[in-house]
Amino acid sequence: MEKTKVIVGLGSCGIAAGAAKVYNKIKALQEAENLDFELKKTSCIGMCYREPLVEILDESGSYLYGDLDEEKIIEVIDKHIGQHSPVKEYVVHTDLYETVDTTFTKDQVKIALRNCGYIDPESIEEYEARDGYRALKKIAGQRMSRLDVIQSVLSSGLRGRGGGGFPTGLKWKFANNNKANEKYIICNADEGDPGAFMDRSLLEGDPHAVLEGMIIGAYAIEATGGVIYCRAEYPLAIKRLNIAIEQARKKGYLGKGILGMDDFDFDIYIKEGAGAFVCGEETALIASVEGQRGMPRKRPPFPAASGLWKKPTNINNVETFANIPWIILNGAEEYAKYGTEKSKGTKVFALAGKIKRSGLVEVPMGMSIRDVIFKLGGGIKNDKKFKAVQMGGPSGGCIPEYLADTIVDYDSVNATGAIMGSGGMVVMDETTCMVDVAKFFLEFTQKESCGKCTFCRVGTKRMLEILQRITEGKGEEGDLDKLEELSYQIKDNSLCGLGQTAPNPVLTTIRYFRDEYEAHIRDKKCPALVCTALLTYTVDPDKCTGCTVCAKNCPVDAIEGDRKQPHFIKQDVCIKCGMCYSKCKFDAIILS
Amino acid sequence: MDDLIAKYKGKKGNMIPLLQGTQSIYGYIPREAFEKLAAETGLELSDMYGVATFYAQFRLNPVGKHIIKVCHGTACHVQNAKAVTDSLKEALKVSDGETTEDGLFTLESVACLGCCSLAPVMMIGEETYGKLTGTEAVKIIKNIKIRESN
Ligand SMILES: Cc1cc2nc3c(=O)[nH]c(=O)nc-3n(C[C@H](O)[C@H](O)[C@H](O)COP(=O)(O)O)c2cc1C
Ligand code: SF4
Ligand code: SF4
Ligand code: FES
């Protein structure tokens, strides 16, 4: 019989939720009581909303425990290991019976995330044990030609997961066609979209899958050097990548004459980003790797012709690479079985915002947004009303509830005015103000504009000023027309994708939530009660007990009233800080 | 800095790693460091300043011992990251981007830390804290303060 295994999820989300403490507690218990099990580590399995997670694997099956802490783990170890009786109430997933979280896993198909949460990302042996590097061995063993590899990727229908959705096989073909003594393949791990974390989870959870995908890509296009451009905000991903690269070198998957292929020398190094969203754009990324300011440049020439150090260069996203080994090993047809006609395979989505189960899911393309949010994501937090989902980050847009039956594939999402982007879904409920969200994104792009194009640099600033005015109750008739006009000009006249897509969050919110803009502009009201300047705080005299707490806490002494008598707020003094609202224990402060 | 310079001198694309390395020694990039780099590696001062001011990561002024990065990404924004920053501002008596008088903390708003599932989030050093409220964030800071004074 195999030894019982206790596996702790130590991705950065898990660690943030306290997984390292749980791990140490288990270790301490094991040592103190001399318990007979194997203690192991893995990374995020996607159920971020239940972190910290611990899986116990014994002869009866696998039990995934969630929401653990140092107290609960004592109970779990004691009962499950000590008395062979699993603590059902903490089990969030098992194949043996249904749990409340069964629907989170049910409709998922894991290809890119196939190993995340199942292996120790710091062990190359565990990756190999789950078919790792077998795709590369297949290529070497069968002496698959470069064109065969490219054809396989082409036939799979895989489209780039970094946002643009360009067919990966086609990109590789172009890069292969350009002959040169030096060529590069770059992994874009900049993941700048706020609200997206799939690349981080992949790098932390299965770094070898990304490396193997890169190595196969390098073989296909005859690259001589590889770079992973990873943002510095992801220290754990960088650490695990470094370990993985070292291990791959030792085993001969990287270096000279890889797996005996004497025409294939290739190595990879990591370049840490220095914090600039625009560096996710290909030409800016290349400039940044070269040590310059990360400013995009005009294309053509495309990187496939002249990229890093002016040599042919192919850039793909983390998730794109993670799919490659699976496709080579299982065949293009197998991959293309999933998905829709023009968007094949599966897509990883990062669920966040006002959703019950935030985390990572991987589903076949073609599932409806509603199913992703309600079946997998469990619906809206606190059972509030679902208002919109933001997709595609600063380049994307807000899809309103009434379009939630839109399916997730590149073309259907584009038709709404949003984009698939990297797969972030930030869910919003009735307490989210759409004007505020639009303003939030413009603040972001305005800050991140590299400044090269006037339309992007100045245009987004002007748009932001208008939005700021609107949220301060100083909106004017005609503002929406002005916003739209500026939007189209910025889209048409900017050099790179940042400027060309920056107005999208504004355009989609105007399209779908025009009445909300109008409430701000005409009625000087914020229906979602978010825009501070448009709020009023008053006291409900029936509920007020005269406890004086609000008056004591008001920073500007705007509240008056005698002890045990209803208080009132002097509107001309109130700075709308909301302090009274949060301090009153009797719900007597009314926000409107 | 000599080891750093020895490691990267003459290498292609070395400017950013040199600046990153310098910053990890001093916590920021002092003027003298720029000058030393220029003299010993042949990089142009103007190019280095150009790069250092372009990327969010580089600092030209000293920072506190602990840098508190409060995430203001989309997920954190819609889940009230503002309340976290506001409470910290009040507790530390600094504005965004400033360092406390005792030099212990620098408060900074940043874009997405990639832990959106635990929003709102902040990061201090390499430690990430999730599902915050203003009160909890202040508690964490106080604990660090207590640890520091021991
Ligand atoms: C402003 C801007 C930011 C981008 N950020 C990223 C990013 O963080 N990660 C990424 O993979 N692609 C990003 N992209 C897209 C890349 O430029 C590029 O298309 C992609 O990495 C190609 O890989 P793929 O074909 O595998 O999708 C960005 C594009 C723009 C215009
Ligand atoms: S569109 Fe904006 S980010 Fe892109 S090159 Fe122009 S100014 Fe820079
Ligand atoms: S805190 Fe509430 S109950 Fe107390 S005086 Fe103020 S409004 Fe009245
Ligand atoms: S939005 Fe804050 S961690 Fe992503």
Side-chain angles (χ1 to χ4, degrees):
Chain A
M1 194 194 75
E2 273 215 46
K3 210 171 195 169
T4 299
K5 291 192 178 102
V6 178
I7 309 165
V8 186
L10 291 168
S12 50
C13 45
I15 295 171
K21 285 188 197 131
V22 170
Y23 181 88
N24 292 335
K25 189 87 212 174
I26 299 174
K27 203 165 173 184
L29 287 171
Q30 185 180 33
E31 279 160 15
E33 297 170 33
N34 210 358
L35 296 169
D36 185 30
F37 59 80
E38 199 181 338
L39 178 57
K40 298 172 67 69
K41 299 173 189 176
T42 187
S43 197
C44 177
I45 195 168
M47 275 190 166
C48 308
Y49 65 103
R50 287 290 198 196
E51 296 279 11
L53 292 160
V54 174
E55 185 188 0
I56 299 187
L57 255 169
D58 61 18
E59 71 271 27
S60 68
S62 143
Y63 302 81
L64 185 66
Y65 289 96
D67 283 331
L68 293 176
D69 54 32
E70 286 167 289
E71 288 298 306
K72 285 186 189 164
I73 194 68
I74 299 177
E75 185 185 342
V76 170
I77 295 291
D78 179 43
K79 293 203 177 132
H80 194 141
I81 306 279
Q83 306 164 30
H84 300 286
S85 120
V87 190
K88 270 194 161 186
E89 62 175 302
Y90 304 151
V91 174
V92 294
H93 187 260
T94 171
D95 290 330
L96 306 171
Y97 51 86
E98 300 239 320
T99 66
V100 285
D101 288 314
T102 301
T103 54
F104 182 78
T105 43
K106 213 168 163 188
D107 296 308
Q108 294 200 47
V109 175
K110 294 204 172 177
I111 294 179
L113 299 177
R114 60 195 176 277
N115 297 321
C116 287
Y118 297 101
I119 62 170
D120 178 348
E122 297 181 11
S123 157
I124 190 169
E125 287 76 20
E126 290 196 18
Y127 178 68
E128 288 172 323
R130 285 178 64 104
D131 290 343
Y133 290 110
R134 268 189 56 205
L136 190 60
K137 285 178 185 156
K138 178 175 167 181
I139 291 171
Q142 304 181 357
R143 293 274 22 191
M144 266 174 93
S145 75
R146 300 188 147 91
L147 291 177
D148 284 349
V149 173
I150 294 174
Q151 189 54 48
S152 202
V153 175
L154 208 51
S155 316
S156 74
L158 175 68
R159 294 171 67 170
R161 300 297 191 234
F166 193 80
T168 306
L170 208 54
K171 213 171 181 176
W172 287 15
K173 206 166 168 176
F174 293 149
N176 178 280
N177 285 343
N178 291 316
K179 301 294 167 202
N181 59 343
E182 269 173 53
K183 273 197 211 178
Y184 294 96
I185 192 155
I186 297 180
C187 173
N188 190 342
D190 196 42
E191 192 157 69
D193 273 14
F197 50 91
M198 55 291 282
D199 292 350
R200 174 182 65 75
S201 286
L202 259 166
L203 295 168
E204 284 177 7
D206 195 11
H208 283 290
V210 181
L211 295 187
E212 189 179 357
M214 276 183 85
I215 299 167
I216 293 170
Y219 174 74
I221 68 161
E222 287 187 80
T224 49
V227 178
I228 301 175
Y229 188 86
C230 188
R231 59 199 310 234
E233 285 89 341
Y234 289 176
L236 189 60
I238 291 172
K239 180 183 150 212
R240 289 186 179 159
L241 273 172
N242 272 317
I243 294 172
I245 290 173
E246 207 43 57
Q247 290 171 337
R249 277 188 196 134
K250 279 213 184 95
K251 290 233 177 186
Y253 300 127
L254 281 175
K256 282 205 182 316
I258 292 170
L259 295 183
M261 295 185 275
D262 46 23
D263 58 345
F264 185 31
D265 304 338
F266 176 70
D267 209 342
I268 296 175
Y269 74 97
I270 300 175
K271 191 90 189 180
E272 271 186 51
F277 173 68
V278 73
C279 288
E281 197 277 342
E282 302 189 346
T283 58
L285 190 153
I286 288 168
S288 180
V289 175
E290 289 175 351
Q292 307 154 25
R293 295 169 72 119
M295 303 265 238
R297 63 159 173 77
K298 227 162 108 183
R299 298 180 301 179
F302 286 92
S306 172
L308 185 58
W309 314 116
K310 302 233 167 2
K311 301 292 180 185
T313 300
N314 186 86
I315 302 186
N316 285 118
N317 164 265
V318 171
E319 188 186 331
T320 311
F321 280 126
N323 279 300
I324 298 289
W326 194 96
I327 292 171
I328 297 297
L329 196 59
N330 298 279
E333 304 73 42
E334 211 41 48
Y335 190 78
K337 270 188 194 159
Y338 299 105
T340 61
E341 201 199 325
K342 287 192 189 151
S343 302
K344 296 291 179 202
T346 57
K347 176 79 194 89
V348 181
F349 290 102
L351 308 180
K354 307 282 180 76
I355 192 165
K356 279 192 185 143
R357 301 172 180 164
S358 45
L360 274 195
V361 297
E362 182 170 355
V363 297
M365 296 270 195
M367 187 180 271
S368 75
I369 292 178
R370 193 184 302 281
D371 281 349
V372 174
I373 293 174
F374 284 87
K375 274 200 190 154
L376 283 78
I380 311 303
K381 240 183 215 167
N382 304 321
D383 293 315
K384 287 221 162 61
K385 214 169 145 265
F386 172 37
K387 185 166 178 181
V389 57
Q390 212 284 339
M391 284 186 71
S395 309
C398 293
I399 301 174
E401 193 274 340
Y402 74 88
L403 290 179
D405 293 315
T406 304
I407 59 168
V408 287
D409 76 5
Y410 288 94
D411 309 289
S412 311
V413 175
N414 282 354
T416 67
I419 59 164
M420 185 90 103
S422 50
M425 284 193 181
V426 183
V427 175
M428 300 169 178
D429 67 10
E430 58 206 325
T431 65
T432 314
C433 168
M434 301 319 270
V435 185
D436 174 72
V437 168
K439 187 180 80 171
F440 165 81
F441 279 110
L442 262 207
E443 261 166 29
F444 181 86
T445 42
Q446 202 265 317
K447 244 195 295 193
E448 297 293 339
S449 166
C450 80
K452 202 169 183 174
C453 316
T454 322
F455 279 92
C456 175
R457 184 184 66 241
V458 185
T460 54
K461 188 155 177 69
R462 291 291 100 84
M463 283 180 76
L464 179 59
E465 284 163 3
I466 297 175
L467 287 168
Q468 247 147 5
R469 263 202 293 110
I470 295 176
T471 57
E472 282 163 8
K474 295 175 198 146
E476 297 159 10
E477 286 302 318
D479 274 351
L480 295 186
D481 296 337
K482 259 188 238 160
L483 281 173
E484 284 179 325
E485 196 195 324
L486 274 166
S487 290
Y488 292 115
Q489 297 213 345
I490 296 168
K491 278 168 95 71
D492 290 344
N493 294 297
S494 293
L495 173 67
C496 88
L498 189 147
Q500 287 157 6
T501 59
N504 288 353
V506 179
L507 287 175
T508 53
T509 47
I510 293 183
R511 179 177 334 161
Y512 299 121
F513 300 94
R514 198 176 189 95
D515 51 341
E516 210 166 320
Y517 276 91
E518 282 169 352
H520 283 74
I521 296 170
R522 284 201 204 126
D523 314 333
K524 313 292 175 207
K525 288 274 171 216
C526 174
L529 303 178
V530 171
C531 298
T532 318
L534 302 180
L535 304 178
T536 36
Y537 291 88
T538 45
V539 178
D540 179 348
D542 294 335
K543 283 192 180 163
C544 178
T545 63
C547 73
T548 77
V549 163
C550 57
K552 278 193 198 115
N553 279 287
C554 176
V556 291
D557 291 329
I559 307 180
E560 278 185 353
D562 293 328
R563 220 182 155 71
K564 301 208 173 142
Q565 294 298 318
H567 281 46
F568 77 99
I569 299 176
K570 291 185 280 186
Q571 293 302 328
D572 51 335
V573 186
C574 171
I575 54 162
K576 305 174 200 241
C577 68
M579 190 55 92
C580 53
Y581 185 76
S582 63
K583 293 284 178 187
C584 176
K585 286 197 183 70
F586 304 94
D587 289 331
I589 305 278
I590 307 166
L591 175 58
S592 61
Chain B
M1 275 174 72
D2 293 325
D3 291 346
L4 181 75
I5 291 173
K7 184 168 170 201
Y8 287 106
K9 190 171 174 168
K11 290 230 175 100
K12 287 199 290 192
N14 59 1
M15 192 183 313
I16 293 175
L18 276 170
L19 294 175
Q20 283 171 329
T22 308
Q23 177 153 303
S24 70
I25 299 172
Y26 300 104
Y28 73 111
I29 310 174
R31 198 196 161 88
E32 298 75 25
F34 276 110
E35 281 159 4
K36 186 176 164 81
L37 286 175
E40 292 183 25
T41 66
L43 291 169
E44 292 287 337
L45 258 185
S46 58
D47 287 346
M48 280 190 284
Y49 270 103
V51 164
T53 52
F54 182 83
Y55 295 100
Q57 186 188 23
F58 296 118
R59 304 157 202 284
L60 303 182
N61 291 305
V63 280
K65 183 162 176 203
H66 302 277
I67 299 170
I68 309 169
K69 297 181 179 169
V70 183
C71 178
H72 283 254
T74 325
C76 292
H77 177 78
V78 303
Q79 306 209 78
N80 216 357
K82 189 171 170 285
V84 175
T85 294
D86 285 349
S87 308
L88 289 173
K89 277 187 194 166
E90 197 184 299
L92 298 171
K93 305 205 167 34
V94 291
S95 306
D96 198 358
E98 287 180 359
T99 302
T100 52
E101 244 167 56
D102 57 7
L104 218 43
F105 298 103
T106 300
L107 181 65
E108 205 173 61
S109 308
V110 298
C112 194
L113 294 169
C115 268
C116 321
S117 51
L118 298 175
V121 175
M122 71 176 178
M123 196 169 174
I124 304 177
E126 293 200 352
E127 187 107 19
T128 310
Y129 305 85
K131 295 187 182 165
L132 290 173
T133 59
T135 331
E136 267 165 59
V138 172
K139 216 180 346 176
I140 292 164
I141 303 304
K142 284 200 175 133
N143 282 337
I144 295 180
K145 244 184 180 160
I146 293 168
R147 237 190 297 139
E148 286 288 343
S149 60
N150 284 336

